[in-house]
Each structure stands twice: as C-alpha cells, then as structure tokens.
Amino acid sequence: MEGKVLARIAAIVFVAIAIAATVIEMTRKEAPVPASTAPALQPSADPLRATLRRCQQLGEAASSDADCLAAWAE
C-alpha cells in the first residue's frame, strides 16, 4: 500500500511541475528581434553592363544598333 501512495505523490508532484512550467512559458514575453542594420548590397552602376542588357532585350535588332555594336566591341 505504501508504494501506491508514493507513486501518487510522485505523479502529483510531476503534474504540478508541468503545470508551473506551462504557466511560466505562457506568461513570458518575447523580446522583439532587432531589425538588421546592414545595408543592402547594390551592384555598382556599370554603363557597359546596362548597355549589354538593353542589347540583349532588343534581340535580333541589336545586330544593327550602333550602340550595341560598340558595346560588343568593347
């Protein structure tokens, strides 16, 4: 009989600790995550690259465009 009483007391203590841990976790306030202050990486402005992109978008018409021909030669 003594073993059953000891098991019941252990179970009650376990449940009490679990309830206390749950209440503590639920009442804890989360600290807001600070926003990143690192600047966004932006590629340097390269006029040749911009010209080549424009020529790529022109497609077959770029073969007769003077700016595209100069960009490709460079």
Side-chain angles (χ1 to χ4, degrees):
M1 188 74 152
E2 183 116 359
K4 286 185 179 182
V5 174
L6 190 59
R8 284 183 184 172
I9 291 173
I12 291 171
V13 169
F14 176 76
V15 170
I17 291 173
I19 290 172
T22 302
V23 169
I24 290 171
E25 184 65 30
M26 289 179 71
T27 58
R28 185 168 45 170
K29 293 183 180 177
E30 295 286 329
V33 177
S36 175
T37 58
L41 293 176
Q42 292 188 358
S44 60
D46 184 10
L48 177 62
R49 185 176 196 142
T51 304
L52 290 174
R53 284 196 188 270
R54 187 185 66 82
C55 295
Q56 182 182 18
Q57 292 172 350
L58 284 176
E60 196 172 322
S63 63
S64 60
D65 186 40
D67 290 335
C68 292
L69 293 173
W72 290 330
E74 191 174 325

